[in-house]
Amino acid sequence: MRGGGEHAPGMTTGTSGPVEVPPSGRYRIDGDRSTIRFHTRHLFGLAPVRGRFGIEAGHIEVADPVHRSSVRVRVPATSFHTGNGMRDPVVHGKQYLDAEQHPVIAFAADRIAEEPEGWTLHGSLTVRETTAPLELRIEECRTENARLLVRARGTVDRYALGITAMKGMTGRYLTALLEVSAEPESAGNG
């Protein structure tokens, strides 16, 4: 892995901090210590909207070589939360996420690449049985007391996922910031 400057071997610099290649193995994502925050715009782009999603389950498989690593994440559709009691049920409903019929949003990636801008996780997002590519730029990756801590950012195009309700009134793009904490799985947890 290329170092770029005065970094320790196995490290590069992300947008916000160090990107370190963690030890190989399987890590279980801790949903209680992980979050997906997002921001978008509504009212024809004039008003910001901020919120979050929760993570139900997931794992990160760090491979050797690292570019063959994989990620799987399950997000409950009903975990969409902006704190607006009128907006959130509408987004959970049929016009947007249709959480009753499609309770899980899934992310899957099977490739990570070091590119000129930094490390990128290449994957896909599935919402309401529609799948679209999603790239996540890794801003920070480090281990702390054997836990894997990852911060990544990506842009979701809801139109590519077939969610086209309220064009203009509701933003097309959603910028997501993932802050993930994962612990190594023991051989018996697989």
Side-chain angles (χ1 to χ4, degrees):
M1 175 165 137
R2 120 179 112 70
E6 299 296 318
H7 303 289
M11 294 184 74
T12 59
T13 299
T15 306
S16 329
V19 176
E20 147 191 338
V21 176
S24 299
R26 186 177 168 101
Y27 296 79
R28 183 187 61 81
I29 295 173
D30 184 343
D32 293 334
R33 294 184 178 189
S34 303
T35 187
I36 303 167
R37 290 183 290 137
F38 67 85
H39 66 270
T40 186
R41 300 194 76 74
H42 75 133
L43 295 175
F44 303 99
L46 299 175
V49 174
R50 297 185 183 282
R52 62 177 167 76
F53 284 93
I55 294 176
E56 176 182 278
H59 71 268
I60 300 168
E61 184 83 36
V62 179
D64 186 10
V66 72
H67 70 272
R68 292 185 181 161
S69 298
S70 64
V71 176
R72 299 289 183 271
V73 179
R74 292 171 48 94
V75 173
T78 55
S79 70
F80 174 93
H81 179 77
T82 63
N84 183 313
M86 292 177 64
R87 175 189 299 119
D88 293 354
V90 171
V91 174
H92 296 162
K94 291 181 185 262
Q95 273 190 309
Y96 291 92
L97 297 178
D98 195 5
E100 186 175 323
Q101 294 298 313
H102 307 284
V104 174
I105 297 168
F107 175 74
D110 291 307
R111 185 170 73 89
I112 185 171
E114 187 178 17
E115 298 168 352
E117 306 81 28
W119 288 91
T120 301
L121 187 60
H122 295 271
S124 59
L125 186 68
T126 301
V127 181
R128 299 188 335 177
E129 297 182 13
T130 300
T131 301
L134 178 61
E135 292 183 353
L136 296 176
R137 177 86 52 219
I138 298 173
E139 297 184 344
E140 185 174 3
C141 179
R142 61 189 169 87
T143 53
E144 186 176 285
N145 299 323
R147 291 185 80 85
L148 178 59
L149 304 173
V150 181
R151 180 179 162 111
R153 184 180 307 266
T155 301
V156 176
D157 178 355
R158 71 181 180 99
Y159 292 6
L161 292 161
I163 303 171
T164 57
M166 302 290 287
K167 286 186 176 182
M169 284 294 291
T170 306
R172 175 176 178 172
Y173 299 101
L174 182 142
T175 301
L177 175 64
L178 291 78
E179 294 177 329
V180 174
S181 176
E183 58 189 5
E185 287 189 355
S186 63
N189 279 351

